Amino acid sequence: MKLRLNTRQRYRLYSLLALMICSGLAVYLVILALKENMNFFFSPQEFSSLKPKVGTRLRIGGMVKKQSIIRAEGLKIEFVITDFKSELKVQYTGVVPDLFKEGQGVVVSGIFQDPHLLIADEILAKHDERYMPMPIERSVNR
Amino acid sequence: MKIIALKHFYSLSRSWMYYSAALCFLLGVYGLSMGFWGVPPDYQQGEAFRIIYLHVPAAFLSLGIYVFIGIQSMIFLIWRIKLCDLLAANSVGIGATFTLIVLITGALWGKPMWGSGWVWDARLSSELILFFLYIGLSGLRQAIPSRMPAAQASAILSVIGLVDIPIIHFSVQWWATLHQGPSLSQFSKPTIDPMMLYPLIAMIFSFFFFYVSLLIFKTRISIAEEKALL
């Protein structure tokens, strides 16, 4: 196998490249056609610019606004989801993920009720890619 | 270049196989002991983050093995080197298993951490498609009875499927996903503390040497089978 290609090998190489380009193009076009659907959620900012109709099912991803969590009786919880440009109030009844707290990233899925209120039926916690040891005193107090 | 002759590969690869297995074991002992006991719990995820020491190495390997299969397939399609076909064929099962490990450890990790063991976001969905590609490669090769057409068909399918690899890798950067962004990337500082990072790197290499030694082992058997059939 020398790196100089004879005619047959060159023909095969070109066919292979053409195959790869076509497959790449096909996938690119599919992704282009999907547009927004490739995204798992909208940000509150995108939500406010979209202005969806009441009754639409949506997924919104953002952060739990500080001091916005209100827990009612039973498992009812109300909080505000924000991306620091726009925000949206969320109501949820049920158990929230362990990581759920103020300042935590969340993805909420539910039905958009009146303007600025989402009745969620699923809350997922989204964490970032940082990994650090716990500060020593905190791990002792845990 | 003598190496591409099956009989030379057979004799040279024996020691490589044993050295790889030894490296796999040593790095694995360091990586798992540190990862599961030595390293302190994460500030955000607590003890549960430790599954990273299986999930991330399996993920690196699931992508890397497919790229290797793609390269071997391209060489085979152009130059018809039999060793490349054997290496590609023997890598498929290992790659599929690593992909399955990624999906299962990911689900086990996601259920407590995110609140769901599976979501249809770009990262998870494209990795699932990679699993289907591996299964498809295996099925296609087995479905065609004659040797050369089977090899060529598998090679072509694996090259077509290569387009999934950059999608999986960049999915967390190109689109909004539940899966978090990259902690290890080529151009920026790692977002993992060094104490947690070194066992992770060790595990990635341990899985890699596991793959290498198992691949050589399987390929040597294939070569012996070829000899027996002749």
Side-chain angles (χ1 to χ4, degrees), chain B residues 19-154:
Chain B
Y19 284 135
S20 298
L23 279 168
C24 160
F25 178 75
L26 292 169
L27 288 166
V29 164
Y30 164 69
L32 286 176
S33 61
M34 289 305 287
F36 287 166
W37 288 284
V39 168
D42 180 63
Y43 81 104
Q44 190 176 201
Q45 300 185 43
E47 303 283 355
F49 93 102
R50 296 184 193 279
I51 203 165
I52 198 179
Y53 293 100
L54 296 175
H55 180 80
V56 168
F60 266 78
L61 263 297
S62 76
L63 295 186
I65 290 175
Y66 195 89
V67 170
F68 180 74
I69 292 174
I71 294 174
Q72 294 303 309
S73 298
M74 289 195 264
I75 298 174
F76 175 72
L77 285 169
I78 299 173
W79 283 285
R80 299 262 195 278
I81 298 173
K82 198 171 270 175
L83 180 63
C84 296
D85 176 54
L86 293 181
L87 290 173
N90 286 315
S91 295
V92 172
I94 309 175
T97 310
F98 278 130
T99 310
L100 196 61
I101 290 176
V102 177
L103 296 171
I104 293 177
T105 54
L108 291 173
W109 196 356
K111 187 72 180 125
M113 212 49 61
W114 291 339
S116 171
W118 182 262
V119 290
W120 292 101
D121 76 358
R123 169 53 70 87
L124 278 70
S125 304
S126 50
E127 182 79 11
L128 183 65
I129 289 176
L130 182 68
F131 180 67
F132 293 152
L133 271 172
Y134 274 117
I135 300 295
L137 278 178
S138 170
L140 183 62
R141 186 180 288 270
Q142 290 183 52
I144 300 174
S146 35
R147 185 48 212 285
M148 192 54 167
Q152 287 201 278
S154 306

Side-chain angles (χ1 to χ4, degrees), chain B residues 1 21 30-31 33 80 88 102 117 123 128 130 149 154 159 161 163-164 170 175 197 200 213 218 221-223:
Chain B
M1 274 299 126
Y30 164 69
S33 61
R80 299 262 195 278
V102 177
R123 169 53 70 87
L128 183 65
L130 182 68
S154 306
V159 168
V163 72
D164 192 24
F170 291 111
W175 298 293
L197 178 61
L200 184 62
S213 73
K218 290 173 74 166
I221 292 176
S222 303
I223 295 173

Side-chain angles (χ1 to χ4, degrees), chain A residues 12 39-40 125-126 129 131-132, chain B residues 42-43 77-78 176-177 191:
Chain A
R12 289 184 207 142
N39 285 318
F40 190 61
K126 180 175 158 71
E129 61 274 13
Y131 296 90
M132 276 185 292
Chain B
D42 180 63
Y43 81 104
L77 285 169
I78 299 173
T177 59
T191 60

